[in-house]
Amino acid sequence: MAQILFKAIPYSKEDVTLALESGVDAVIVPAKEVELVSGLSRCKVLAAEDVPSIALTQKEDEATYLEAAKKGLATLAPGWEIIPVENLLAQSDAVYAEVRSLKEAELASGILERGVTGIVVLPEALADLKAIVANCKICLENECLCEAEVTAVEQAGLGHRVCCDTIAMLRRGQGMLVGNSSDFTFLVHAETEHNEYVAARPFRINAGAVHAYTRLPHDKTCYLEELKAGREVQIVDQDGKTMITTVGRVKIEVRPMLLVKAKVQTPEGEKQGAVFLQNAETIRLTAPGGRPVSVVTLKPGDKILCRIDEAGRHFGMRIKEEIAEV
């Protein structure tokens, strides 16, 4: 996930204000404006005079950039091409590219799959800035979801469940991937639906039991019990498109639980998974197409969206290990 910087050259207080409201990680301004801009937001402010902008017009310029990057932040001037940037990324994890449009930003964020370290948005792309932040910072690569068949829904007694309130307003079709095992997770839907007894809580995912895994950004997982205010979580929609948001509050309470089991047919054979969810009408899984399905009406044969993977995690990070979770 690239850092997003805004380069306010020529300087405009209005442009800087818009950049700060858009959620950039830092702004670059003339040295004489650093103190003023630093008082507008708790955001990193850099003096343009300390951030050299280097044009890649010949092979020797790559070495010039690498040398400058060793001393501090340096940027690639507009007009950079993919092959020279690939050469830099192979040698440095501090490559910042200036962009003049959303198209250039998306191109920079995808070079060598991992993208540049930082995208430096120029004033020419100010109108695209919110889209650049959304596409290159908030959103991540898609998750590959598949259709699973529910095989059982069983009462499971009382248990501690985790209710995750985020700082984002979620929409129909979005939720979190949760499961008993990291290799089979269920798309647990956000509480976006109204009913006659309970108002919608579109910022909330009633995610499941404390022991369950949930998918995090950057191919990591954690136990639901480990979620805390301020931690980043991954939100997924019915098409697998992902975004990052932050936990605002976590509530762990004892509630009646259900055990939901499902299966997926893969080229290697049948794969089974399970998840414990609160036994309440407002807790929903996600059907193909993004339709929320309440767990109290769920029955064997119903189709829901899940994600399958290889098992094996250590402190949330992927490892190669033979492991069985039942």
Side-chain angles (χ1 to χ4, degrees):
M1 181 178 62
Q3 299 174 41
I4 309 293
L5 298 82
F6 179 69
K7 186 174 183 178
I9 305 294
Y11 177 74
S12 163
K13 184 178 179 181
E14 291 74 21
D15 290 356
V16 168
T17 301
L18 177 58
L20 294 172
E21 291 175 349
S22 298
V24 298
D25 296 294
V27 291
I28 302 171
V29 299
K32 64 180 182 179
E33 306 292 349
V34 168
E35 184 176 356
L36 171 65
V37 176
S38 296
L40 299 177
S41 171
R42 293 192 64 163
C43 181
K44 191 172 185 179
V45 182
L46 304 169
E49 292 82 350
D50 298 331
V51 184
S53 177
I54 298 168
L56 297 180
T57 58
Q58 55 188 354
K59 182 65 177 177
E60 291 74 15
D61 294 332
E62 294 178 21
T64 301
Y65 181 86
L66 291 171
E67 190 60 32
K70 291 178 182 177
K71 300 175 182 178
L73 194 147
T75 66
L76 297 174
W80 46 264
E81 296 182 344
I82 293 176
I83 299 302
V85 176
E86 288 181 345
N87 294 339
L88 294 174
L89 286 171
Q91 303 173 72
S92 173
D93 58 359
V95 179
Y96 292 77
E98 297 182 9
V99 302
R100 297 166 293 191
S101 67
L102 173 60
K103 184 176 180 180
E104 287 186 358
E106 291 176 334
L107 181 63
S109 68
I111 296 175
L112 286 184
E113 295 188 353
R114 64 187 175 94
V116 296
T117 313
I119 294 170
V120 182
V121 181
L122 300 179
E124 298 96 300
L126 187 63
D128 290 334
L129 184 54
K130 288 184 181 293
I132 290 171
V133 172
N135 290 13
C136 303
K137 182 176 176 64
I138 297 175
C139 295
L140 300 175
E141 293 184 1
N142 281 15
E143 293 281 19
C144 184
L145 303 182
C146 61
E147 188 176 291
E149 179 182 336
V150 175
T151 58
V153 182
E154 305 168 359
Q155 293 192 24
L158 296 175
H160 286 84
R161 70 94 171 99
V162 177
C163 192
C164 177
D165 290 350
T166 73
I167 63 170
M169 295 293 282
L170 307 179
R171 64 178 188 275
R172 200 173 215 238
Q174 289 184 315
M176 291 169 59
L177 288 168
V178 180
N180 280 1
S181 169
S182 62
D183 69 342
F184 197 121
T185 48
F186 297 68
L187 185 52
V188 181
H189 202 281
E191 293 192 9
T192 60
E193 308 303 296
H194 291 269
N195 68 34
E196 60 180 309
Y197 302 108
V198 181
R201 298 287 187 267
F203 51 83
R204 173 173 296 169
I205 302 101
N206 194 323
V210 284
H211 74 283
Y213 285 102
T214 187
R215 289 277 294 174
L216 297 179
H218 316 302
D219 193 34
K220 294 183 179 179
T221 64
C222 75
Y223 298 119
L224 288 178
E225 187 273 336
E226 295 175 323
L227 293 179
K228 299 289 187 294
R231 185 161 193 176
E232 288 185 336
V233 289
Q234 177 177 272
I235 301 299
V236 185
D237 73 9
Q238 71 276 6
D239 298 317
K241 186 176 180 180
T242 67
M243 60 172 275
I244 296 175
T245 188
T246 301
V247 177
R249 171 179 56 236
V250 171
K251 296 195 299 179
I252 300 177
E253 299 165 310
V254 175
R255 292 291 186 269
M257 305 294 283
L258 292 174
L259 172 60
V260 179
K261 299 178 182 179
K263 65 180 180 181
V264 172
Q265 293 295 332
T266 73
E268 293 76 32
E270 184 177 279
K271 192 176 184 71
Q272 299 182 3
V275 65
F276 286 87
L277 300 168
Q278 183 180 339
N279 183 359
E281 191 275 336
T282 54
I283 287 70
R284 295 173 170 90
L285 292 171
T286 311
R291 180 174 59 88
V293 182
S294 174
V295 293
V296 302
T297 63
L298 201 63
K299 61 186 183 301
D302 285 349
K303 300 297 192 295
I304 55 174
L305 293 176
C306 294
R307 180 188 183 278
I308 58 174
D309 196 358
E310 295 180 359
R313 295 279 172 165
H314 183 65
F315 292 108
M317 293 177 288
R318 184 183 298 278
I319 59 171
K320 286 290 184 181
E321 181 180 36
E322 186 164 339
I323 184 171
E325 295 176 300
V326 295

